[in-house]
Amino acid sequence: QVQRVETGGGLVQAGGSLRLSCADSGRTVSRYTRGWFRQEPGKEREFGACISWRGGSTYYADSVEGRFTISRDNAKNTVFLQMNSLKPEDTAVYYCGTSWSGSSRNPTAYDYWGQGTQVTVSS
């Protein structure tokens, strides 16, 4: 059983930064693409970024390109999302998952979601 925990969310002013972490314990699934998604109440889960298992390939949604950076430390079974120049529209619960279909932007390709971490950006 994979235990996955997302941390690092919080309340920040527009223009500020946060660093999210997604750590696995128990059984790990390290040799797969990992992705960050976000979800607002009443809306579908939205792709943010993903990273290949070796870290050599990264992909971003247009809405976060140039502001967010995804990275991973396979030795620690942890994926990170550095978020800079935050905007109020970045407010959401952020989740990380494991993709069984490579670098997919579709949340249905992902599994082993954590409980999420709330990010709130005030204007």
Side-chain angles (χ1 to χ4, degrees):
Q1 185 77 9
V2 174
Q3 284 91 42
R4 177 162 293 169
V5 179
E6 297 101 336
T7 57
L11 174 63
V12 64
Q13 288 189 332
S17 298
L18 286 172
R19 189 187 193 214
L20 306 184
S21 298
C22 175
D24 286 357
S25 60
R27 186 171 78 89
T28 58
V29 285
S30 59
R31 295 194 175 197
Y32 292 93
T33 292
R34 296 277 289 275
W36 282 98
F37 288 72
R38 62 190 185 187
Q39 189 168 20
E40 298 176 67
K43 295 187 178 181
E44 294 186 351
R45 196 160 292 189
E46 174 187 62
F47 172 75
C50 66
I51 185 168
S52 60
W53 83 269
R54 291 183 182 271
S57 297
T58 57
Y59 301 92
Y60 297 91
D62 290 345
S63 57
V64 307
E65 179 86 54
R67 300 187 297 121
F68 291 9
T69 302
I70 189 171
S71 60
R72 66 191 295 167
D73 183 340
N74 287 339
K76 297 182 178 180
N77 297 309
T78 302
V79 178
F80 305 96
L81 187 68
Q82 178 66 43
M83 305 188 298
N84 298 328
S85 302
L86 282 161
K87 304 175 181 180
E89 51 263 44
D90 294 320
T91 296
V93 178
Y94 283 70
Y95 300 90
C96 70
T98 296
S99 171
W100 309 115
S101 299
S103 299
S104 174
R105 297 173 183 243
N106 190 335
T108 63
Y110 289 75
D111 202 347
Y112 296 124
W113 300 103
Q115 84 293 342
T117 184
Q118 175 71 48
V119 171
T120 303
V121 184
S122 63
S123 57

